Amino acid sequence: MMIYVRRFALVCALGALGVGAAACGGGGASGHPGRGEVSASVPAAPSGPPTLAPGPAGLTRVFKSAPHPRERTVALTFDADMTADEGPRAAAGEHFDNPALIATLRRLKVPATVFMTGRWAEEYPAEAKSIGSDPLFEVANHSYSHYAFTGACYGLPTMPLARMRSDVERAFTAFRRAGVKHTVPYFRFPGGCYDKEVLRKLTPAGVTAVQWDVVSGDAFATDSQAVAQQVLDGVRPGSVVVMHCTRSAAPATEAAVRAVVPELRERGYRFVRVSELIRPAPGH
């Protein structure tokens, strides 16, 4: 994104992709708040990452923030974007990765969820494997191609409806081939754009759609303090913050994280992965 299960179905779908057994990787212009969103969750399997059962009419459910936070938790999420047709730009020297950001998260001991495209994993297999082998992180699905799942989505090419599920599955396959171990059955729409038809189309893939309630504004930003302030102003207990793990398109993110983390900790917040936010608190 660049802004910019049924239990049986999930286990079968992810098992076929080789990711089911290894637990742990404001919508966009076309998002529809309230449509398919939920306030409760159910675990996909006793030992696996929690997921949300399909909603009314069998639509994929959308998670944006923890509905009943009992403590000050916040999930920083990072979109590792690379569109299927950007290979020549990478070959010419454009950096779609951000090793310094990952190093900072490790140094500060900040758990995070990385929403990775399959094309990014193919371009940076060693980095994908490193992120996906670190228990500090979990890798989630951001599609293979980073093509939009609706029309008119920040200028992204549009994915045909018939290819959406296979594009999601192809990303999981790319993670497995890169050696990513800690994958979770969560999916973030490229550009954050989705509609009811798309939510229905993705249900057989067995994923929970994960959006956010705090937009960092780091895409194409150069003022790290402005990005940090936007995050600090928006975070509430149970928030999901969307940021980016792409040096060329989000050059201020690493510096913003260095400002955000100590301030939120000073305010009493604990950083968690998305899977911990989705897992219901005792009594809910």
Side-chain angles (χ1 to χ4, degrees), residues 156-180:
L156 292 172
T158 303
M159 170 69 60
L161 191 65
R163 287 174 47 196
M164 291 178 181
R165 178 183 174 185
S166 63
D167 192 74
V168 173
E169 294 171 345
R170 187 179 179 187
F172 279 125
T173 298
F175 300 161
R176 186 177 69 247
R177 289 175 176 170
V180 175

Side-chain angles (χ1 to χ4, degrees), residues 1-282:
M1 155 257 133
M2 187 53 64
I3 75 177
Y4 343 146
V5 237
R6 291 184 176 89
R7 179 178 303 177
F8 180 79
L10 172 64
V11 173
C12 290
L14 296 183
L17 294 169
V19 299
C24 260
S30 299
H32 295 282
R35 184 178 283 175
E37 294 160 11
V38 298
S39 60
S41 61
V42 295
S47 60
T51 58
L52 304 178
L59 300 184
T60 296
R61 303 298 279 262
V62 181
F63 180 85
K64 297 177 72 173
S65 63
H68 304 292
R70 289 191 168 187
E71 58 178 315
R72 292 193 171 193
T73 51
V74 58
L76 298 186
T77 69
F78 299 89
D79 291 357
D81 294 343
M82 186 172 179
T83 304
D85 58 4
E86 290 179 330
R89 289 167 55 180
E94 185 169 348
H95 295 286
F96 295 90
D97 62 342
N98 195 337
L101 170 62
I102 299 302
T104 292
L105 293 170
R106 285 172 167 150
R107 178 176 59 82
L108 297 176
K109 295 180 173 58
V110 178
T113 302
V114 179
F115 286 84
M116 190 180 293
T117 68
R119 184 64 188 87
W120 193 99
E122 289 179 346
E123 188 69 27
Y124 305 105
E127 291 182 52
K129 181 178 180 179
S130 176
I131 294 168
S133 300
D134 190 332
L136 196 63
F137 307 125
E138 60 189 10
V139 174
N141 195 312
H142 196 30
S143 80
Y144 172 82
S145 64
H146 201 252
Y147 287 0
F149 281 44
T150 67
C153 183
Y154 301 98
L156 292 172
T158 303
M159 170 69 60
L161 191 65
R163 287 174 47 196
M164 291 178 181
R165 178 183 174 185
S166 63
D167 192 74
V168 173
E169 294 171 345
R170 187 179 179 187
F172 279 125
T173 298
F175 300 161
R176 186 177 69 247
R177 289 175 176 170
V180 175
K181 294 180 179 179
H182 303 306
T183 60
V184 287
Y186 307 148
F187 175 73
R188 176 167 286 166
F189 291 99
C193 304
Y194 66 95
D195 56 26
K196 185 175 181 179
E197 185 176 25
V198 169
L199 293 178
R200 181 180 295 109
K201 189 69 176 178
L202 286 187
T203 300
V207 294
T208 293
V210 175
Q211 297 292 91
W212 55 85
D213 66 321
V214 179
V215 177
S216 69
D218 67 338
F220 307 106
T222 57
D223 185 343
S224 63
Q225 285 302 315
V227 173
Q229 193 60 53
Q230 185 157 317
V231 172
L232 294 172
D233 288 346
V235 165
R236 301 292 183 270
S239 281
V240 175
V241 181
V242 59
M243 306 183 85
H244 294 85
C245 187
T246 44
R247 252 185 296 176
S248 61
T253 305
E254 188 271 335
V257 166
R258 283 190 276 113
V260 164
V261 169
E263 176 61 28
L264 285 179
R265 282 177 169 158
E266 180 69 21
R267 297 180 186 182
Y269 279 89
R270 179 171 65 90
F271 294 96
V272 299
R273 294 172 289 274
V274 167
S275 56
E276 186 170 340
L277 285 187
I278 292 181
R279 191 178 301 281

